[in-house]
Amino acid sequence: MPIHVIVEGKNDRSKLKRLVGPEINILCTFGTLNSLKLETLRKQVGYDEVFLFMDNDSSGKKIRGGLRDAFPDAVQMYTRRGYAGVEGTPDEYIIAQLEKAGLETYIQYPEHPSY
């Protein structure tokens, strides 16, 4: 069954794409949420599994609220306050959130150079 992660912007999507395999479909709200956008997301997701990963700021919380209503069964993933959104969150923290959400099978762990 396909898995979808909904993020706010294309930079969030780019950041996440580097850390997960192609089996994960990353969708964007592009920072807005209206009835047309919600309907588009609903059609894209269908009955598949959904994860929400929004910035920990006022607009991210507002978008998460609307998405939570549209996808009540979605798994919530959070970035830490103080990080510059999902795109500014360190890879290690995002990986920890993916693992916590049960997506470890799909993580593409970055290779760290050995010193």
Side-chain angles (χ1 to χ4, degrees), residues 48-82:
D48 300 336
E49 193 168 4
V50 180
F51 295 79
L52 304 179
F53 199 10
M54 308 292 123
D55 297 350
N56 191 358
D57 59 15
S58 60
S59 68
K61 289 175 183 170
K62 184 177 178 185
I63 291 170
R64 183 185 297 276
L67 290 171
R68 190 181 288 140
D69 291 343
F71 304 102
D73 297 330
V75 175
Q76 305 289 327
M77 296 169 54
Y78 295 92
T79 186
R80 187 176 286 159
R81 178 173 292 186

Side-chain angles (χ1 to χ4, degrees), residues 17-79:
K17 267 190 186 249
R18 290 188 301 104
L19 298 172
V20 296
E23 312 87 354
I24 304 283
N25 185 24
I26 304 169
L27 306 171
C28 292
T29 67
F30 297 107
T32 60
L33 201 59
N34 54 36
S35 55
L36 179 63
K37 188 66 180 171
L38 272 175
E39 194 54 39
T40 303
L41 287 169
R42 269 200 209 101
K43 285 179 183 165
Q44 288 176 294
V45 167
Y47 295 100
D48 300 336
E49 193 168 4
V50 180
F51 295 79
L52 304 179
F53 199 10
M54 308 292 123
D55 297 350
N56 191 358
D57 59 15
S58 60
S59 68
K61 289 175 183 170
K62 184 177 178 185
I63 291 170
R64 183 185 297 276
L67 290 171
R68 190 181 288 140
D69 291 343
F71 304 102
D73 297 330
V75 175
Q76 305 289 327
M77 296 169 54
Y78 295 92
T79 186

Side-chain angles (χ1 to χ4, degrees), residues 11-19 87 89 91 94:
N11 293 335
D12 298 338
R13 180 172 57 197
S14 296
K15 173 83 169 190
L16 218 47
K17 267 190 186 249
R18 290 188 301 104
L19 298 172
E87 70 180 279
T89 299
D91 290 356
I94 290 178

